[in-house]
Amino acid sequence: MAPVEGAAAFWLGVAALLAGLIGEAWQTSEARLAPERFYLAGLAVGVGAAWLACRGRGGPSHPGRPVVWRLCAVAVAGGLLAWGSTGWRATQRMAEAWPADWARRDMPICVQIEGLPRPMPGGVVQADAILLATDVPDCDAARLAKAHPPVHHIGLYGNWPADARTVATPQAGQTWWLVARLHPPDGASNPGGFDAPLQAFDKGVRAMGTVRHRLEMPRLVSPAPTWPWEGAIDRLRQRIRDGILKRVADARAAGVLAGLAVGDQSAIDREDWDVFRRTGVAHVVSISGTHIAMLGCLAAMLCRPLWARWRWGRARWPAPEAARWLAVLASVLYALLAGWGVPAQRTVLMMAVMAALHTGGRRWPWGLVWLLAAVVVVAWDPWALRQAGFWLSFVAVGVLMSAGMSPEAALRTPEGMVPAMSHDPQPGLDATAPATHAGSQPSTRVGRLARAAQAASRGGLRATQAASREMAQTQYLVTLALTPLALVCFQQVSIVGAGANLVAIPLFTLLITPLALAGVLCPWLWDLGAWLVQLALAGLGAASALPWAVAQAPVVPGWVAAMAVLGGVLGLQPWARPWRWLAWPCMLPLFWLPIGWRLLPPPPPGHFDLLAADVGQGTAVLVRTAHHQLLFDTGPRLGTQGDAGAQHLLPLMRALAVDELDTLVISHEDNDHVGGAMSVLAGLPVANLRSSLAADHALLAQPDARGQKPVHTPCMAGQSWVWEGVRFSFLHPTPADLAQRKRLPPNALSCVLKVEGPGGRSALLTGDIEAPQERTLLERGGAALRSTVLTVPHHGSTTSSTGGFLAAVAPEVAIIQAGRRNAYGHPAPAVLRRYADMGLPLRSTPRCGAWWWSSASPVGAGEQGRCWRDIAPRYWYPPDAPD
């Protein structure tokens, strides 16, 4: 290949792959889907552009013009093909929709269990299923043959009692008849929060719901699938998990082993997940690319010497090639055993792409290989682009592939074209292949690490020391490169992560994970693995408890995030040494972000804003002035697996750069108001705690993130204070109310807080007060109740929102915080009609997600606030989520 032709081929490949990624990113960032015909038209134009690019020919008189023309054609083709194909797939998936009028209906359905059912405390089971038929009295084969359910994949949650005495655990492949209440997938929507609708959309789950076992017992129709291979791997996974849980007495260690062996992440205790995240090792206890690639490496290292001794085999297939593909095969098998999750799919696809390039004898530049693997993964799963795991995986791989490349190696190849890839093997795939190609390429860090590991496997102290040094340097590089990306994706990064990973990666990857898998054949190995897990948990727990273990950063604009990640990666490249100082200005905004660049900037002095968080059936309102923050209630505890504080409020605080609370107000002791308080105290410094809680309540003895107990003051009418010209005043309860605590219901003791800005704009936070307390407030001074914003009392229950109270408050907008399809029927239709009849605008978190309002908004322009789902819309959100 001539030099010009080689360079043209390189840039054409780069243009096509980059355009493909941009097209995927463009489509997955759309707020609303375009009509299907638009995406089909994009595909047609993309195919035409590709055909024109393939027909391009250069002549001796104009050698440059055809290359530029073909470059443009290839870019257009790649971008439109990616955009059109992803959009068409999204329209097909969105066409599967659970009817909105069925959302509150108890529906008899017939399902076939798929995947690994996940038992939860209290006899509850989560399971994915294939919906076979709806509204059927049984699962008769003739009915199923004629059934056309509106969706294919669903998620179920609830008890599965086989009869009045026993609880069954469904197994993959079984067919069940049951009564369920299904609805479109949705979830909480908050700044910095987890996107549950995206996860369901990515998996193809188009309806979710609860098993209504109290109406009618679920019936097992068929204990085995129609075909023996249906669900066979998942049944094997279930047997392995049950075997681990039965063998290992320590539930925490058993959960970690089950997570590593079969990918059952729900078996790992929530507190342990917190430890793993704070120490930066969560990736080593979930089935990630590291585990799958390492298992492939081990398979290749075992296979290659055996294959080399097999005369018939090596005559037909060289040992390095056989080892490479056996590594891919072993990775596929382990990925299937681990549940074939998205991270596992990415790793297997990337290994297959690289193995195919080696088999075809391609000498591609590392960057082109990296881009090709990314495009293949995104073509398989377009919505991976919206998930942090994709970027963490590929940035780490890119650092490993590029580290060690000199400028000369990056710009010189035997053919004279722009960067050619070193012929280094992937770890374990071809560990003894030449380190250079035609003597022109130095080895990359991937190859050096592989050769060091192979030398250590042959024995020798010096080789082992060299391998350890190489692993430490590699971990150092990857940790530094991923630190900006982790801050961008999660708004936090573990300071102790580099040291913790140096121990945790070899411990979990080389010892605990192989023991978890080998225990399938020798169960006593699970005991040894559990002992190692216990040691690891003890060490990681001590590191996690350090007050400086975690650094945080707010959500930053996209261009700032891109600059920070690029600066972190380039700052580690040897060839970029003269420009490394530029990395610091690029990353500085992660640690010191100008106020105007923040996701929701704090209000100017003399004003305040409030954000009613989407926490389900509960209350949590963040109030900010220019330099102070107050949190009113903390939402509910969500069963035994979490609470609103950990799942919603702490990520929200990080996203908004709230690193401490000046005051935490707990209106009363009901779970939907105090349930997340323990997690908030554990995650943030809190200076003051004001509440109506009894003196012996457990929360009052809980230290905050600094290990200090906040100063507690009972909230009482008449208390007030001022922050930056904004007055905070408690209107309820009175000292007499608190003295009658034992005779009054908790709702009657709810703290009522009024927030007033100098301009007369105000907000009234009411907790769960009911009609008697509303009348009392009117009697003590109805004029003091008038407010611009009202948080609807008691989530819109019929016990509250009396006409006289609403007339006295006369809000310009009222916000209801309630759970979607909650069991209490909040907000009550009669209450909604009362607000409508009085002409009071309403907003609700089920429809809005989080709701934000600022007293600094111009009167008449922003007085009704903004819904988070309108600020950051996505087409996979269910339209007009019902209250």
Side-chain angles (χ1 to χ4, degrees):
M1 181 183 293
V4 173
E5 293 176 351
F10 171 79
W11 289 114
L12 287 172
V14 169
L17 296 175
L18 276 178
L21 288 176
I22 293 172
E24 301 278 5
W26 177 19
Q27 198 287 320
T28 56
S29 64
E30 292 178 352
R32 299 285 184 271
L33 282 177
E36 182 180 3
R37 61 181 181 275
F38 283 31
Y39 297 115
L40 294 176
L43 281 172
V45 175
V47 170
W51 179 75
L52 290 175
C54 292
R55 289 196 62 205
R57 294 289 185 271
S61 59
H62 300 288
R65 188 186 306 166
V67 172
V68 175
W69 183 87
R70 292 176 66 192
L71 196 68
C72 295
V74 163
V76 170
L80 286 179
L81 287 173
W83 176 80
S85 61
T86 303
W88 180 81
R89 289 170 62 182
T91 59
Q92 299 306 301
R93 192 161 293 184
M94 290 293 289
E96 290 189 40
W98 190 255
D101 56 344
W102 288 7
R104 293 186 179 272
R105 181 179 169 189
D106 294 322
M107 177 77 67
I109 59 176
C110 186
V111 299
Q112 184 177 41
I113 304 300
E114 64 174 352
L116 182 67
R118 300 170 292 283
M120 315 290 285
V124 174
V125 176
Q126 288 183 336
D128 295 331
I130 299 172
L131 184 60
L132 303 177
T134 59
D135 208 5
V136 290
D138 54 51
C139 294
D140 179 76
R143 295 181 188 276
L144 298 184
K146 299 178 181 179
H148 298 285
V151 301
H152 189 58
H153 294 281
I154 65 174
L156 294 170
Y157 176 90
N159 297 96
W160 297 68
D163 52 50
R165 297 182 180 179
T166 60
V167 175
T169 300
Q171 296 187 357
Q174 291 179 341
T175 301
W176 286 75
W177 179 93
L178 50 87
V179 177
R181 180 172 291 186
L182 297 172
H183 57 83
D186 54 23
S189 208
N190 293 295
F194 176 68
D195 195 341
L198 172 61
Q199 184 186 52
F201 188 82
D202 193 15
K203 292 170 61 179
V205 174
R206 302 301 296 135
M208 305 179 72
T210 55
V211 178
R212 310 282 283 178
H213 67 278
R214 288 189 175 89
L215 296 179
E216 194 157 357
M217 294 287 185
R219 296 199 301 265
L220 178 60
V221 177
S222 174
T226 305
W227 305 103
W229 56 82
E230 288 183 314
I233 293 178
D234 290 319
R235 290 194 296 276
L236 173 62
R237 296 173 64 212
Q238 194 164 354
R239 285 197 294 270
I240 293 172
R241 181 193 63 192
D242 294 345
I244 293 174
L245 299 179
K246 183 178 180 180
R247 170 87 188 191
V248 179
D250 184 351
R252 295 175 63 193
V256 173
L257 290 176
L260 291 171
V262 297
D264 183 15
Q265 307 303 313
S266 65
I268 301 177
D269 191 76
R270 184 176 70 90
E271 285 74 18
D272 291 336
W273 273 122
D274 292 339
V275 170
F276 296 147
R277 292 189 186 101
R278 285 182 59 84
T279 52
V281 301
H283 63 99
V284 303
V285 291
S286 58
I287 302 298
S288 64
T290 305
H291 300 88
I292 294 171
M294 184 58 67
L295 189 71
C297 292
L298 293 175
M301 291 174 66
L302 292 174
C303 165
R304 179 164 178 169
L306 296 176
W307 194 279
R309 292 180 176 85
W310 185 22
R311 181 179 302 177
W312 187 90
R314 72 171 183 263
R316 287 160 178 77
W317 211 8
E321 191 109 348
R324 246 191 312 272
W325 285 104
L326 186 65
V328 175
L329 177 61
S331 299
V332 169
L333 294 177
Y334 183 35
L336 291 172
L337 185 64
W340 195 242
V342 173
Q345 295 174 25
R346 287 198 295 262
T347 304
V348 169
L349 285 172
M350 191 165 188
M351 292 180 66
V353 167
M354 293 186 173
L357 290 175
H358 275 277
T359 299
R362 301 294 180 183
R363 304 295 192 266
W364 283 17
W366 72 265
L368 202 57
V369 175
W370 184 73
L371 275 176
L372 176 62
V375 168
V376 170
V377 169
V378 171
W380 177 275
D381 177 21
W383 299 277
L385 273 173
R386 312 299 305 183
Q387 301 172 41
F390 171 86
W391 297 101
L392 292 170
S393 299
F394 276 93
V395 169
V397 170
V399 169
L400 290 176
M401 294 177 72
S402 63
M405 294 285 288
S406 66
E408 293 80 8
L411 298 175
R412 186 183 70 243
T413 71
E415 294 84 8
M417 59 183 281
V418 283
M421 182 181 65
S422 161
H423 200 54
D424 280 330
Q426 298 306 304
L429 297 182
D430 190 2
T432 60
T436 62
H437 176 61
S440 63
Q441 300 276 340
S443 62
T444 65
R445 184 161 296 278
V446 174
R448 295 204 303 269
L449 185 61
R451 287 189 295 278
Q454 188 179 44
S457 68
R458 299 193 188 105
L461 180 60
R462 296 183 62 181
T464 302
Q465 290 175 340
S468 301
R469 185 166 54 252
E470 192 68 39
M471 178 178 289
Q473 292 174 352
T474 300
Q475 180 59 40
Y476 167 78
L477 278 177
V478 172
T479 299
L480 289 185
L482 294 186
T483 293
L485 187 58
L487 285 170
V488 166
C489 294
F490 306 115
Q491 289 77 59
Q492 65 177 2
V493 68
S494 175
I495 302 299
V496 299
N501 274 283
L502 282 177
V503 178
I505 288 178
L507 178 62
F508 278 88
T509 305
L510 301 179
L511 293 177
I512 297 177
T513 300
L515 289 172
L517 294 172
V520 176
L521 301 177
C522 302
W524 61 268
L525 291 175
W526 285 333
D527 300 329
L528 178 57
W531 178 72
L532 292 174
V533 170
Q534 291 169 344
L535 289 179
L537 288 175
L540 293 172
S544 172
L546 296 172
W548 45 268
V550 175
Q552 298 184 359
V555 170
V556 298
W559 66 272
V560 173
M563 285 184 57
V565 173
L566 185 62
V569 172
L570 292 181
L572 298 175
Q573 303 300 321
W575 56 267
R577 188 173 289 111
W579 301 281
R580 281 184 179 177
W581 63 272
L582 291 174
W584 295 107
C586 291
M587 292 187 288
L588 182 61
L590 294 179
F591 303 96
W592 184 80
L593 186 67
I595 291 178
W597 294 0
R598 293 184 183 177
L599 186 64
L600 294 176
H607 289 277
F608 71 96
D609 69 0
L610 63 84
L611 188 141
D614 185 5
V615 294
Q617 183 62 23
T619 296
V621 180
L622 176 67
V623 182
R624 301 185 300 172
T625 63
H627 304 295
H628 292 81
Q629 297 90 25
L630 177 147
L631 180 63
F632 187 92
D633 284 336
T634 58
R637 182 166 181 82
L638 309 171
T640 59
Q641 292 298 303
D643 58 65
Q647 294 190 12
H648 305 307
L649 297 180
L650 290 180
L652 184 150
M653 303 291 182
R654 288 194 295 268
L656 300 184
V658 176
D659 52 9
E660 65 177 333
L661 288 174
D662 297 283
T663 298
L664 172 63
V665 177
I666 302 298
S667 64
H668 62 294
E669 64 182 22
D670 281 359
N671 169 67
D672 56 339
H673 296 256
V674 73
M678 289 287 192
S679 293
V680 170
L681 283 173
L684 284 174
V686 177
N688 297 283
L689 173 62
R690 296 174 181 265
S691 75
S692 63
L693 301 176
D696 59 350
H697 196 282
L699 182 66
L700 304 186
Q702 174 76 11
D704 67 0
R706 293 176 298 198
Q708 302 173 2
K709 287 195 295 184
V711 177
H712 178 249
T713 305
C715 60
M716 288 187 288
Q719 294 174 348
S720 65
W721 68 96
V722 177
W723 287 339
E724 289 89 52
V726 179
R727 176 172 291 275
F728 294 76
S729 307
F730 281 113
L731 307 183
H732 187 77
T734 64
D737 294 328
L738 295 176
Q740 303 179 65
R741 176 185 306 278
K742 294 184 179 179
R743 297 196 304 126
L744 293 174
N747 287 353
L749 298 177
S750 290
C751 303
V752 177
L753 179 66
K754 184 172 183 180
V755 187
E756 301 175 87
R761 311 191 81 185
S762 57
L764 188 65
L765 312 181
T766 59
D768 276 357
I769 60 171
E770 299 181 347
Q773 291 76 51
E774 293 179 356
R775 286 193 296 270
T776 301
L777 288 170
L778 286 171
E779 292 168 0
R780 289 208 301 263
L785 296 176
R786 188 171 185 85
S787 300
T788 312
V789 176
L790 170 69
T791 61
V792 173
H794 202 179
H795 318 289
S797 168
T798 54
T799 62
S800 310
S801 295
T802 57
F805 178 77
L806 295 181
V809 178
E812 295 178 11
V813 62
I815 176 67
I816 301 173
Q817 288 184 284
R820 296 167 177 85
R821 297 167 299 277
N822 62 83
Y824 309 99
H826 296 162
V831 173
L832 295 177
R833 284 195 298 271
R834 189 176 305 145
Y835 278 85
D837 292 343
M838 298 181 69
L840 302 178
L842 272 176
R843 297 291 180 269
S844 68
T845 52
R847 294 181 182 274
C848 269
W851 180 80
W852 177 70
W853 178 90
S854 173
S855 68
S857 299
V859 176
E863 70 276 9
Q864 293 189 5
R866 300 182 66 190
C867 297
W868 183 248
R869 286 194 170 181
D870 293 335
I871 296 174
R874 292 292 180 264
Y875 61 75
W876 48 80
Y877 289 161
D880 264 347
D883 295 329

